[in-house]
Amino acid sequence: MNKKEKYLAKTLYGLENILAGELEKINAQDIKILNRAVSFYGDNEVLYRANLELRTALKILKPIKKFQTKNENVFYRKVSEIDWTKIFKLEQTFAVNTTVNSRIFTHSRYIGLKTKDAIADLFRKKKGKRPNVDPRMPNILIDVHISDSDCTISLDSSGAPLNQRGYRDQTGVAPLNEVLAAGMILLSGWNGKTNFVDPMCGSGTILIEAGMIAKNMAPNINREAFAFMQWLDYDAKLFFDIKNELQNKIIKRPEIKIVGNDISETVLRMARRNLNKVGMARNFIELENNDFRDFTPPPAPGIVITNPPYNIRIELEDSIEFYKEIGDNFKNKYKNYDCWVLSADLEALKHLGLKPEQKIKLINGKLEARFNHYKIY
Ligand SMILES: C[S@@+](CC[C@H](N)C(=O)[O-])C[C@H]1O[C@@H](n2cnc3c(N)ncnc32)[C@H](O)[C@@H]1O
């Protein structure tokens, strides 16, 4: 077993507890909940599992240096103190991602440039040459996070964000982030054993995430490349052993129905393509093309998780009336269902006409939203 290192899993607002629960299941240690992130310790196995298996993580970062400074020259010097030649090879390309939230440092691009200079200068001093920068497909991705005068330099172990599962190249106008969709399903407590419905499914993100949970399929099992594969200590055998074990745990045909419905034939075509990409043929996840008012769900017990239009990106003539009809529809057609609605139209949501059992604050893109639970008796 290689040594345990500290890592940081980034997530979306409101999903920190769910992510901590997921980390426990993969044997991560010393799990601490932070703001939109969870820190933990683990060996390479935990790191590889985190990238393959976590449904609610956006990235897994490995912090390598923390310091405080208010000065750009000191920042450059601190970054130069890291021995980058022990972290990657001259032949490898690199790129720097910066997030700056500071009154002192206001230009994140400048901080990015300073970081690249420090790394290039160190390589030149020690190896006589500098590695190339490749902003599009770097081998090594370095993450710089500055909050006021607190600077953290990390290696990004994921590369492309983990919500990019590879099944979605086509979306409707307002697709949900895959991590948010998975987080909503895990927040609902659905265990993959009862029928699942999204009556306004768009390009099918919630359905596919539900399908992966029901099939016990790791969300990034089909991804070819993670940034950690370029690290000097990458253990390919360990990675492929874990991947094989996860492949063998996938349930071929869960005995439930997952049904999506949408009024738009265009978005349903996209949903179909996305379903095919992830190998969830039509007989496992069914799609129907109706107004939600005319759609009949499969028998209870079951769960609805849906993300109706908010009258922001998709316009509604009368959003209050639209939401009232969603509530009426739940009462008439979804007896003994648990219904969950995510919406950023907080006013219209109040007119659903049902008393929520739970209201959870989430952020969808930049919009504050509520994820409300209604039990239909
Ligand atoms: C916010 S989008 C859902 C996005 C979806 N969660 C995704 O990730 O792609 C809302 C969806 O509701 C659908 N919709 C609007 N009015 C509808 C109606 N009356 N009946 C059924 N679907 C409707 C729209 O076509 C749109 O796809």
Side-chain angles (χ1 to χ4, degrees), residues 39-105:
S39 69
F40 63 97
Y41 284 79
D43 55 12
N44 273 349
E45 175 169 357
V46 171
L47 175 68
Y48 301 168
R49 286 191 185 278
N51 276 285
L52 286 162
E53 293 186 54
L54 298 177
R55 300 183 195 281
T56 54
L58 293 166
K59 289 226 161 221
I60 313 295
L61 302 178
K62 177 180 174 184
I64 51 173
K65 193 175 175 93
K66 271 183 197 259
F67 53 89
Q68 282 199 325
T69 180
K70 295 185 167 136
N71 176 309
E72 280 149 4
N73 294 330
V74 175
F75 177 85
Y76 169 91
R77 186 161 51 75
K78 291 278 181 193
V79 179
S80 317
E81 282 168 10
I82 301 169
D83 189 351
W84 294 98
T85 63
K86 294 221 167 74
I87 294 176
F88 66 101
K89 293 191 201 132
L90 183 61
E91 305 77 56
Q92 291 178 300
T93 59
F94 75 102
V96 179
N97 256 341
T98 46
T99 316
V100 176
N101 205 333
S102 168
R103 274 161 294 156
I104 308 150
F105 301 104

Side-chain angles (χ1 to χ4, degrees), residues 18-37:
I18 294 289
L19 176 55
E22 288 200 279
L23 278 159
E24 253 171 53
K25 286 198 184 134
I26 59 164
N27 276 331
Q29 317 270 298
D30 294 330
I31 299 167
K32 285 204 179 68
I33 292 178
L34 308 165
N35 179 21
R36 298 182 199 217

Side-chain angles (χ1 to χ4, degrees), residues 84-94 119-120 122-133 139-140 232:
W84 294 98
T85 63
K86 294 221 167 74
I87 294 176
F88 66 101
K89 293 191 201 132
L90 183 61
E91 305 77 56
Q92 291 178 300
T93 59
F94 75 102
I119 296 170
L122 185 100
F123 262 97
R124 245 192 239 108
K125 207 164 89 190
K126 290 199 137 193
K127 302 268 175 192
K129 268 181 93 179
R130 52 160 294 175
N132 287 328
V133 171
N139 297 139
I140 300 294
L232 300 181

